[in-house]
Amino acid sequence: GTTDERTVDPPTGATLAVVDATDAIAFTAEPRDDVKIIAEKEAFGGVSLDELTVDVETTADRVEITTDKPDVIGLGGASVSLELYVPEEMAVDRLQTADGAVTAQRVPDGAALRTRDGAIQITDARGDVTAETSDGDISVDGTDGTLSAVTQDGSIQVRDPARVGEISTRDGNVATDVPAVADDAEIVSSDGNLVLRMGETLDTVLTAATADGEILVSDVVPGVQIRSQTESQLEAVVGDGTTPLRAHTNDGDVVLRA
């Protein structure tokens, strides 16, 4: 393998986008003026390192990064992983890859992280953030805005978001802090348990349901007024509840706790 490193001076006010990466992406925002790009290239079998490319296209308002590698049938293979160190004030449109994990530290407001095959890990997002993977776990520790996290196959763990939007998996457990909810908030699993850690200042109208499991409410959940409850359904007002929150699993328990 080999490691290539380069820096790019972004135009003032430019937005960063990784639009079509082939492998893992690791993003860090930090106090700096340029964009540092470190590419880790690995090749084996009949693939040459020369066939692995990192393309950086800079326009007046955008810095776009793409990686490429040959399609290999049979023996051989390759990967081009990216490490990005980016100025704190630079906007980010998306960090998108076909295959590999996406990790982001201190990503700015409005960024979207997407992979077709891999986990997503977000730490200290500085605003609204979206995470989407077709196959992998999502873990989030800290957002300053609304979190949207969707995986087709994997568990979701969320700590310390400012607000919860859509949190959804088709196959996996969900455990999330719920300090506040955005409009149309929902926490959903087709196959897994939901654990909602209700914030002390949460205001919501909660409807919770499971097709195969139980609704479990801890005694110490603050400010909950239960309107109706069966073994598999619950409607409750939390705080000065007006904004709705829907929590639903087809197969699993729904647990509310402080």
Side-chain angles (χ1 to χ4, degrees):
T2 182
T3 301
D4 296 346
E5 184 175 318
R6 74 174 99 167
T7 57
V8 175
D9 291 320
T12 304
T15 296
L16 176 78
V18 181
V19 290
D20 205 6
T22 53
D23 297 282
I25 304 169
F27 170 98
T28 303
E30 61 184 20
R32 60 184 305 124
D33 296 322
D34 56 12
V35 176
K36 182 158 87 171
I37 303 164
I38 301 172
E40 291 268 358
K41 298 179 178 179
E42 300 279 349
F44 49 92
V47 181
S48 155
L49 287 169
D50 297 338
E51 297 176 87
L52 313 182
T53 61
V54 179
D55 184 53
V56 182
E57 190 176 319
T58 303
T59 62
D61 60 359
R62 198 168 171 89
V63 175
E64 202 163 277
I65 303 171
T66 308
T67 64
D68 199 15
K69 64 184 180 184
D71 291 326
V72 178
I73 298 168
L75 296 174
S79 66
V80 188
S81 300
L82 291 174
E83 274 182 57
L84 308 173
Y85 298 90
V86 177
E88 287 175 316
E89 60 279 359
M90 190 173 189
V92 174
D93 171 25
R94 59 190 149 142
L95 306 172
Q96 182 170 313
T97 181
D99 185 5
V102 181
T103 61
Q105 294 189 7
R106 308 196 67 245
V107 71
D109 181 42
L113 284 60
R114 298 190 177 103
T115 173
R116 288 207 287 274
D117 187 1
I120 297 179
Q121 187 172 3
I122 297 169
T123 309
D124 295 333
R126 289 176 290 143
D128 296 350
V129 63
T130 299
E132 297 174 359
T133 173
S134 301
D135 186 2
D137 298 338
I138 298 175
S139 80
V140 179
D141 189 356
T143 77
D144 289 343
T146 300
L147 171 67
S148 169
V150 178
T151 174
Q152 304 301 320
D153 185 1
S155 65
I156 302 177
Q157 296 268 358
V158 181
R159 285 279 184 192
D160 200 24
R163 278 182 306 281
V164 167
E166 179 187 9
I167 297 183
S168 170
T169 175
R170 286 196 180 164
D171 186 2
N173 298 325
V174 176
T176 181
D177 294 350
V178 189
V181 293
D183 292 341
D184 302 320
E186 60 175 15
I187 300 169
V188 182
S189 175
S190 299
D191 186 2
N193 299 320
L194 307 180
V195 176
L196 280 55
R197 295 181 290 262
M198 316 291 274
E200 288 184 11
T201 58
L202 176 63
D203 298 320
T204 188
V205 178
L206 170 69
T207 54
T210 172
D212 186 5
E214 292 182 284
I215 309 273
L216 304 166
V217 184
S218 146
D219 294 339
V220 293
V221 177
V224 175
Q225 302 165 351
I226 295 175
R227 284 181 177 167
S228 64
Q229 183 176 11
T230 66
E231 189 173 284
S232 60
Q233 287 186 312
L234 171 78
E235 187 172 329
V237 177
V238 184
D240 304 325
T242 48
T243 310
L245 168 62
R246 176 176 165 268
H248 185 275
T249 175
N250 287 340
D251 187 1
D253 297 333
V254 180
V255 181
L256 309 182
R257 60 171 62 149

